[in-house]
Amino acid sequence: MSYLDTTADVYRQAAQEPQVGLCCTTNPVWQLPGLRIPQRMLSMNYGCGSTVNPRDLTGSPTVLYVGVGGGMELLQFAYFSRRPGAVIGVDVVPEMLDASRANMLEAEAQNEWFSPDFVDLRAGDALHLPVPDASVDVAAQNCLFNIFKLDDLKRALQETYRVLKPHGRLVMSDPTCEQPLSEELRADERLRALCLTGSLPLQQYLDLITSVGFGTVEVRARRAYRVLSPRHYATDELIYIESVEVCAIKDPMPADGPCIFTGRTAIYYGSDELFDDQKGHVLLQNQPLAVCDKTAAALLALGRDDIFVSPSTYHYDGGGCC
């Protein structure tokens, strides 16, 4: 039995009997006017962050969500795209699809604006998405890709890149870990299924995303997630795990490499009205400008005493140099 079979078994049980906090921390839920989330959906919230952001969802986009859970984020996406088939939910576990369908009926009873036909639930998996090329505006997954081993993770990223339209967005939330995990931990299939031991260092995670072609990546949030203690796990030291929310955009790859935003800001405070680096970046006098890591490095390399570049905050909310 492969580690993916073990994962399917874990979530088959979680579909049949909701387990609050099974693998992931309970997260704040969007409070939107007229949106009511059934209690069973909340109990089946198996994510480690949120992939629902209004700025990704203008114009009633077609959304693909992989790993449906109890359907909470499917319902949240449908809130922004209120038309039949606008949200496609894909899951490899039949019991999870059944649970999500039942939850959609309860959501219909509690939300007068919602119809279950807004959500198209399909059997399939992240490695073989049952969706045509360039057919969705937004693809999302919450605490799923961290379960994959490296070859499968790259395949899943390639699949989502394939199904996105040009300039489409892949929005993800996954655990990351900067400390090395022992081979014993990484080989534990159940712990991997529980979103604990498949965590990668953030830079490796970002490198994999850009390696499949995404030209722009936004690190939107980074927060505390879990601690693995030697008291309970096969580790000699305390291991700290964070969750990260990332948006990867299917922009053309720049000739000098991807633009990765990690929450850095540049401020010009010289004597002129502005600073123009002649590469498309204009810094107005004492006006903060969000910059990607590549631009931040180029500005710092100038060695000027009138440009400040902040460290990465790992919080980015749009705008900036690119």
Side-chain angles (χ1 to χ4, degrees):
M1 185 168 71
S2 76
Y3 78 99
L4 295 177
D5 294 324
T6 299
T7 300
D9 285 344
V10 167
Y11 290 97
R12 183 174 296 109
Q13 296 172 30
Q16 294 168 336
E17 184 176 347
Q19 301 175 44
V20 177
L22 166 71
C23 64
C24 308
T25 52
T26 302
N27 296 284
V29 178
W30 278 98
Q31 301 295 316
L32 297 167
L35 174 62
R36 295 179 181 275
I37 299 175
Q39 183 57 49
R40 185 177 173 85
M41 275 188 178
L42 290 171
S43 299
M44 298 177 70
N45 177 17
Y46 302 140
C48 65
S50 177
T51 63
V52 182
N53 193 308
R55 76 171 181 266
D56 299 325
L57 302 171
T58 58
S60 186
T62 297
V63 179
L64 169 68
Y65 191 81
V66 188
V68 300
M72 185 183 77
E73 290 198 313
L74 294 171
L75 177 63
Q76 292 171 328
F77 280 120
Y79 180 90
F80 294 92
S81 295
R82 304 184 184 191
R83 56 182 173 80
V87 180
I88 302 165
V90 173
D91 206 293
V92 72
V93 180
E95 291 83 357
M96 197 64 81
L97 290 168
D98 290 342
S100 187
R101 288 189 183 96
N103 289 345
M104 292 302 163
L105 294 176
E106 181 61 28
E108 181 183 29
Q110 296 186 26
N111 295 273
E112 61 181 20
W113 58 268
F114 178 69
S115 171
D117 70 0
F118 291 173
V119 178
D120 177 3
L121 292 169
R122 304 180 185 179
D125 64 71
L127 307 181
H128 310 88
L129 292 171
V131 180
D133 294 357
S135 60
V136 300
D137 301 289
V138 176
Q141 65 84 20
N142 196 330
C143 214
L144 169 65
F145 281 12
N146 73 97
I147 293 172
F148 291 130
K149 296 182 178 180
L150 287 179
D151 287 347
D152 288 337
L153 174 55
K154 188 160 187 176
R155 174 65 184 272
L157 289 166
Q158 290 169 332
E159 272 290 274
T160 50
Y161 187 89
R162 174 185 68 81
V163 304
L164 283 168
K165 298 176 183 177
H167 308 294
R169 296 172 176 235
L170 168 59
V171 189
M172 303 183 288
S173 182
D174 280 307
T176 60
C177 182
E178 301 304 316
Q179 297 167 265
L181 277 72
S182 69
E183 287 305 312
E184 184 177 354
L185 282 175
R186 290 208 178 274
D188 188 314
E189 294 182 353
R190 181 171 175 81
L191 292 181
R192 181 176 285 271
L194 295 178
C195 305
L196 293 175
T197 59
S199 304
L200 298 174
L202 178 58
Q203 190 57 57
Q204 184 180 5
Y205 181 78
L206 297 175
D207 288 344
L208 281 165
I209 293 169
T210 57
S211 75
V212 304
F214 289 100
T216 303
V217 178
E218 304 173 352
V219 179
R220 293 179 170 178
R222 190 177 183 181
R223 59 175 63 89
Y225 174 66
R226 288 289 179 85
V227 167
L228 304 186
S229 163
R231 298 178 185 179
H232 305 290
Y233 298 95
T235 173
D236 295 329
E237 63 175 346
L238 207 67
I239 295 176
Y240 171 57
I241 304 176
E242 296 177 301
S243 68
V244 64
E245 293 176 11
V246 168
C247 176
I249 305 173
K250 193 176 178 178
D251 288 339
M253 182 66 68
D256 58 350
C259 293
I260 299 179
F261 289 86
T262 60
R264 305 191 73 174
T265 298
I267 302 176
Y268 169 67
Y269 55 94
S271 56
D272 296 328
E273 182 179 353
L274 56 83
F275 170 77
D276 186 345
D277 71 352
Q278 305 300 314
K279 297 179 181 178
H281 311 118
V282 177
L283 303 178
L284 300 178
Q285 174 70 245
N286 223 18
Q287 295 298 309
L289 178 73
V291 292
C292 70
D293 288 4
K294 184 173 56 179
T295 300
L299 291 172
L300 288 170
L302 297 175
R304 296 180 63 107
D305 63 0
D306 56 3
I307 295 177
F308 169 81
V309 181
S310 77
S312 297
T313 63
Y314 302 103
H315 174 80
Y316 175 75
D317 58 5
C321 69
C322 302

